[in-house]
Amino acid sequence: MKPQPYDPAPLSDLIEKEVRLFVYCVDCHHCAVIDTEPVAELLGADYPIPLVHKHMRCSHCDSRFVTANPNWRDEKNVPGRMLDFYYPPFY
């Protein structure tokens, strides 16, 4: 595995900012926004956000080909951010 030039942000950063996780299924296109705290209880608060998707499964088609990203729509008080803007998931 190639070394990262930075340390990925942990789940505790999302909990601190009250930001949930946006989970998207690449196979059936189902998406859900889930609370970060239960995920952090299972994986640990120091678990890196980019690796969370490895522990997720789609509730509709049971696929493991999912993405998990911060739901930036939850973050408040960001100057210039439109609250109704849709942020597509990263693949």
Side-chain angles (χ1 to χ4, degrees):
M1 184 172 176
K2 206 171 163 183
Q4 297 288 336
Y6 60 90
D7 290 331
L11 288 170
S12 60
D13 285 358
L14 295 183
I15 294 170
E16 181 180 307
K17 294 181 180 184
E18 298 178 0
V19 175
R20 298 175 294 173
L21 286 169
F22 179 79
V23 183
Y24 176 80
C25 178
V26 178
D27 288 335
C28 75
H29 308 291
H30 175 249
C31 58
V33 178
I34 60 172
D35 290 332
T36 308
E37 290 181 13
V39 176
E41 287 177 10
L42 289 173
L43 301 176
D46 293 331
Y47 198 80
I49 297 169
L51 300 179
V52 170
H53 72 94
K54 294 180 178 185
H55 301 276
M56 296 288 171
R57 179 173 292 186
C58 180
S59 62
H60 279 221
C61 70
D62 210 33
S63 172
R64 299 208 42 114
F65 191 28
V66 298
T67 62
N69 301 298
N71 186 37
W72 293 121
R73 296 177 82 180
D74 289 343
E75 194 170 21
K76 297 165 183 61
N77 300 325
V78 177
R81 176 170 288 158
M82 298 181 297
L83 295 178
D84 60 348
F85 186 75
Y86 174 73
Y87 295 95
F90 296 110
Y91 297 116

